[in-house]
Amino acid sequence: MVKPGLTPAELRSLPVTIDLVTAGRAFGIGRTKAYQLARTGDFPCRVLQVGQSYRVSTADLQATLGFSPQPPASGDQCTNAGQPPNSEAEG
């Protein structure tokens, strides 16, 4: 039996990659069908095969679902993200 799809909160809390069964749940696809689609290259988003296992990038899953994670709260935003700290001397 397939568990209900993932909630937005669950989608936001996923690690960087997830197993195929979890990705299938997000689409409402059962385990057997998920593996069948992965083997034939027809899974709804990109599937990575690592040895004998299948992994799905959470970013690819979210993009395919049209899900955009909520931006951080205004108090949590960093205005100089990716920029070096200001080194100007005050004077």
Side-chain angles (χ1 to χ4, degrees):
M1 180 175 170
V2 177
K3 295 179 183 178
L6 301 174
T7 66
E10 289 172 323
L11 283 169
R12 275 191 289 279
S13 68
L14 291 172
V16 175
T17 64
I18 56 174
D19 62 273
L20 191 62
V21 175
T22 302
R25 271 186 57 208
F27 291 108
I29 299 171
R31 180 186 184 279
T32 302
K33 188 67 171 180
Y35 277 97
Q36 180 185 41
L37 292 171
R39 277 193 302 275
T40 60
D42 294 323
F43 197 79
C45 65
R46 187 169 55 120
V47 175
L48 310 169
Q49 187 168 5
V50 181
Q52 295 285 322
S53 65
Y54 292 104
R55 303 294 294 177
V56 174
S57 162
T58 298
D60 286 347
L61 172 73
Q62 291 172 342
T64 302
L65 290 171
F67 178 81
S68 57
Q70 289 179 332
S74 61
D76 295 340
Q77 289 181 343
C78 181
T79 57
N80 64 346
Q83 308 250 340
N86 189 356
S87 60
E88 293 179 23
E90 292 183 23

